[in-house]
Amino acid sequence: MTDFRDEVRAWLQEHLSGEFAHARGLGGPGREHEGHEVRLAWERLLGAAGWTCLGWPKEHGGRDATLAEQVAFHEEYARADAPARVGHIGEGLIGPTILEFGTEEQKRRFLPPIRRGEELWCQGYSEPEAGSDLANVQTRARLEGDEWVITGQKVWTSLAHVADWCFVLARTEPGSRRHKGLSYLLVPMDQPGVEVRPIVQLTGTSEFNEVFFDGARSAAGNILGAPGEGWRVAMATLGYERGASTLGQQIGFQREFDRVVAVAKRTGAAEDPIIRDRLVRSWLELRIMRLNALRTMTSLSAGEPGPEVSIAKLYWSEWHRRLGELAQAVQGRAGLVADGPPYDLNDLQRLYLFSRADTIYAGSSEIQRNIIAERTLGLPRG
């Protein structure tokens, strides 16, 4: 295990140089617009060197890496301040879902370009009329000959403006309701009938998008699972979303926390006993987050993701939002003013604004609490 971690560390040190030296730290929440082309080139370099899709089976281009090795990679990647991945939705979400539910033909078609960083994906789940109530999907698809025809709207679609493909949860059985009659479709983005409209966020950037499907088409074979089984496939994807990379994410959180502490010391905010108490509490909760993540990883290694992953999402998103509020507090009045025109934000201001989204996307905190109550604690529905 130490040898593997050393190998990762050495490779990153060697290759985050030359043309990629300035890629360090690019991207991340609220900054996905940064250096897209160089990050895409970096993604392809990772793929060529065998550093993508580590946990995938070797026959599909992975390394059959253990969960501990995957955690080590993500931790070292974060410590090296390597650029934010542009292919993480493909590698971390749709890739594992195709491995579990896809046909051999689908695996041959879709997995290699994901591993090589050649095709990017986005997630077509949330809708304007459904919000976090994913079972209320209204986007519809019907089979016409050898093609699915898709009509509807998705929203808060991360990175849709740069994606080649979208995995879409759509209602394929007329008259069906809630979890019934949904199908999980793989839809090409570059076609007539697909319109992407970026949503300008509080940070001034546009990671999220609206996506409109107006008679968009996809081959009949581009469905994961059987028609009507989309809910089961979609829930498996959500489980993969809380995978090994979360431990690497926490190293980024530690870096943000350290920055907040440094600013608190510089501004004198650290002398305020209430601020000091909030800083100590935040530090303790970050340690608890790691322990919870390790426990979740242990359960994941024993089988497919279960509802306990909702605990991790609820915990880190609420913690991160509080850290954003603390980041504003330690800046004092200066935190209310942009660094320059027209809207030049510093790192802590961006942290505060973007972290407001953390408790909404990937399942809102309210939905996570319902999942924990009903599926983990066995409480009756309210």
Side-chain angles (χ1 to χ4, degrees):
M1 185 61 199
T2 301
D3 291 343
F4 180 82
R5 190 180 287 273
D6 289 343
E7 181 187 357
V8 174
R9 189 181 298 130
W11 190 91
L12 290 169
Q13 183 177 358
E14 177 185 354
H15 289 85
L16 282 172
S17 59
E19 65 173 308
F20 295 113
H22 67 289
R24 288 181 184 266
L26 290 180
R31 299 163 48 215
E32 285 291 348
H33 61 290
E34 295 178 343
H36 177 73
E37 291 303 319
V38 70
R39 289 165 55 214
L40 186 57
W42 172 254
E43 189 81 14
R44 290 171 178 169
L45 177 63
L46 287 171
W51 291 117
T52 59
C53 310
L54 298 181
W56 291 14
K58 290 183 178 179
E59 61 263 34
H60 294 297
R63 292 195 178 201
D64 267 329
T66 65
L67 190 56
E69 288 173 332
Q70 294 174 59
V71 168
F73 173 82
H74 289 295
E75 288 182 336
E76 294 304 322
Y77 192 91
R79 288 194 179 103
D81 202 20
R85 299 283 302 278
V86 296
H88 65 279
I89 295 177
E91 176 177 338
L93 298 184
I94 188 61
T97 308
I98 291 173
L99 282 169
E100 182 175 352
F101 295 95
T103 64
E104 290 305 312
E105 181 180 353
Q106 289 170 336
K107 293 173 185 177
R108 288 192 299 270
R109 165 59 186 88
F110 292 110
L111 295 181
I114 291 174
R115 185 189 59 77
R116 295 192 299 262
E118 295 174 354
E119 287 184 346
L120 304 181
W121 287 77
C122 61
Q123 181 177 21
Y125 275 19
S126 297
E127 297 186 1
E129 298 300 320
S132 291
D133 183 12
L134 187 56
N136 195 29
V137 162
Q138 299 301 309
T139 294
R140 300 186 181 279
R142 66 183 186 278
L143 198 56
E144 289 189 358
D146 59 355
E147 290 184 314
W148 292 102
V149 180
I150 303 104
T151 302
Q153 179 185 356
K154 299 294 181 177
V155 74
W156 310 123
T157 310
S158 298
L159 307 181
H161 59 296
V162 296
D164 303 293
W165 287 81
C166 182
F167 48 99
V168 177
L169 192 61
R171 195 164 295 282
T172 54
E173 294 181 11
S176 62
R177 298 182 67 253
R178 304 300 295 168
H179 311 89
K180 307 292 185 181
L182 299 173
S183 296
Y184 193 108
L185 306 178
L186 312 179
V187 182
M189 295 291 285
D190 185 13
Q191 63 163 308
V194 177
E195 180 183 359
V196 178
R197 298 180 189 173
I199 299 171
V200 179
Q201 299 152 211
L202 290 172
T203 54
T205 57
S206 299
E207 175 186 348
F208 301 129
N209 302 268
E210 295 177 288
V211 180
F212 296 85
F213 298 102
D214 185 10
R217 293 176 177 266
S218 191
N222 289 341
I223 179 173
L224 287 189
E229 292 185 354
W231 183 258
R232 182 168 70 96
V233 182
M235 290 302 99
T237 302
L238 290 178
Y240 292 122
E241 195 168 23
R242 332 279 200 229
S245 63
T246 58
L247 284 158
Q249 176 192 50
Q250 290 170 28
I251 291 175
F253 287 166
Q254 180 69 55
R255 189 177 292 120
E256 289 176 334
F257 174 80
D258 291 342
R259 192 175 296 129
V260 171
V261 172
V263 171
K265 291 178 178 178
R266 189 180 74 240
T267 62
E271 301 303 315
D272 183 327
I274 295 178
I275 293 292
R276 284 204 308 274
D277 180 75
R278 291 173 67 184
L279 287 169
V280 171
R281 181 180 294 273
S282 184
W283 182 86
L284 287 170
E285 290 173 343
L286 185 55
R287 296 301 177 275
I288 293 170
M289 188 190 305
R290 176 173 176 78
L291 295 175
N292 276 333
L294 290 171
R295 180 174 62 180
T296 300
M297 292 300 102
T298 301
S299 67
L300 289 178
S301 65
E304 72 176 51
E308 69 274 3
V309 297
S310 293
I311 298 173
K313 200 287 174 172
L314 175 65
Y315 190 99
W316 76 253
S317 62
E318 295 284 346
W319 177 88
H320 201 223
R321 189 174 72 172
R322 289 194 298 272
L323 181 69
E325 294 166 351
L326 184 54
Q328 279 295 88
V330 301
Q331 294 179 90
R333 293 180 180 178
L336 302 176
V337 182
D339 282 358
Y343 194 57
D344 187 12
L345 301 175
N346 64 42
D347 288 341
L348 296 194
Q349 289 169 329
R350 189 177 293 107
L351 166 61
Y352 168 70
L353 293 172
F354 192 87
S355 62
R356 314 304 294 173
D358 288 345
T359 56
I360 301 173
Y361 68 69
S364 69
S365 290
E366 289 77 8
I367 293 297
Q368 302 305 328
R369 290 187 178 97
N370 285 344
I371 292 172
I372 294 166
E374 295 169 14
R375 302 187 196 175
T376 304
L377 300 179
L379 300 177
R381 294 177 64 90

